[in-house]
Amino acid sequence: MKDSVLLFLALISLNCNTKLRSNTMPDNYAVLNPNTEVAIFAGGCFWCTEAVFLQLEGVKEVKPGYIGGNLENPTYEEICTGKTGHAEAVRIIFDPTKIKYEELLEVFFATHDPTTLNQQGADRGTQYRSEIFVTNEAQKQIAQRYVNQLNKDNVFGKKVVTVVSNAPTFYIAEDYHINYYNRNKNQSYCSYVITPKVEKVKEKYKDKLKK
């Protein structure tokens, strides 16, 4: 069953567009421990983004979810149509005394392509857009300056299309999405798409990894 033909078909057909239905619950990211802060990033498939940020020291929690759309309590199946306006995103609770918001931005931009509009690799649609959802004014200023500097320095050789927006309601994704990579490392999408991102973080940001 694991011959080369089946592996090839699995690789090209299995991506973050798989449409499965479950329930989501809205999450209020404003209710926080006073010693923590919330960052919300959309940078393609949230399985990838979640796996990347779970590695970092100072990150207390990472939850995949949906944000920025026009439908309350969306399901994965609904947002995968691209018609609800939601982005796949992660909500990160972090300790700013251990990792700064700027450091999270650095890792965010290093682990996805911020120059492709509504696309990350084979994942295409507005749900895979690059967007930073800020939860306070300080984040907004920092994120916008960061994007402007990347474009000024022409870091990627193309214009960064990442949008900086005020964060509306974040809806936590269905349970089977949570910690997806660590529970499914042998799945083809994880092996071919997510593992390289995880390994890049381990190599490039050794000083930022959890002990």
Side-chain angles (χ1 to χ4, degrees):
M1 293 296 292
K2 293 185 179 180
D3 57 50
S4 58
V5 174
L6 289 176
L7 178 60
F8 175 74
L9 291 174
L11 178 60
I12 62 174
S13 65
L14 181 58
N15 59 41
C16 216
N17 264 325
T18 306
K19 298 177 178 64
L20 297 172
R21 181 177 291 277
S22 187
N23 293 322
T24 58
M25 293 295 290
D27 180 66
N28 182 2
Y29 52 80
V31 180
L32 297 172
N33 180 307
N35 298 319
T36 62
E37 192 174 333
V38 169
I40 301 175
F41 299 135
C45 174
F46 52 20
W47 298 341
C48 303
T49 319
E50 179 195 45
V52 163
F53 285 102
L54 279 173
Q55 302 180 80
L56 303 180
E57 181 67 34
V59 169
K60 302 293 186 181
E61 178 185 273
V62 184
K63 287 289 178 66
Y66 317 118
I67 191 170
N70 53 30
L71 180 68
E72 291 185 2
N73 301 306
T75 65
Y76 186 57
E77 182 181 56
E78 288 167 334
I79 72 102
C80 278
T81 66
K83 296 178 180 179
T84 71
H86 292 88
E88 287 194 17
V90 292
R91 185 208 65 181
I92 303 164
I93 297 180
F94 67 101
D95 181 347
T97 67
K98 294 183 178 180
I99 188 165
K100 296 179 180 179
Y101 185 67
E102 292 91 332
E103 294 177 283
L104 296 177
L105 285 174
E106 181 183 356
V107 174
F108 172 67
F109 281 107
T111 51
H112 83 294
D113 186 349
T115 70
T116 54
L117 187 63
N118 302 326
Q119 178 184 351
Q120 289 297 309
D123 294 327
R124 303 186 181 196
T126 55
Q127 65 269 35
Y128 300 116
R129 65 187 181 268
S130 178
E131 189 162 359
I132 300 168
F133 293 91
V134 297
T135 60
N136 57 53
E137 186 61 30
Q139 284 187 5
K140 187 173 186 177
Q141 294 181 16
I142 292 168
Q144 194 60 67
R145 282 199 304 267
Y146 205 103
V147 172
N148 292 343
Q149 194 64 48
L150 289 174
N151 280 324
K152 181 179 179 180
D153 296 341
N154 196 29
V155 171
F156 295 96
K158 292 184 289 184
K159 183 181 178 180
V160 170
V161 297
T162 306
V163 176
V164 178
S165 305
N166 293 327
T169 301
F170 182 91
Y171 298 94
I172 294 178
E174 297 85 343
D175 287 346
Y176 65 88
H177 290 299
I178 297 172
N179 201 27
Y180 188 89
Y181 172 71
N182 289 322
R183 294 187 290 105
N184 299 275
K185 288 184 179 180
N186 293 326
Q187 188 244 66
S188 58
Y189 186 88
C190 293
S191 298
Y192 287 93
V193 179
I194 307 178
T195 295
K197 294 175 182 283
V198 170
E199 293 301 319
K200 180 177 183 178
V201 172
K202 287 180 179 178
E203 179 61 30
K204 187 172 182 179
Y205 300 106
K206 294 178 182 179
D207 61 325
K208 291 181 172 57
L209 299 178
K210 289 178 178 175
K211 304 299 186 292

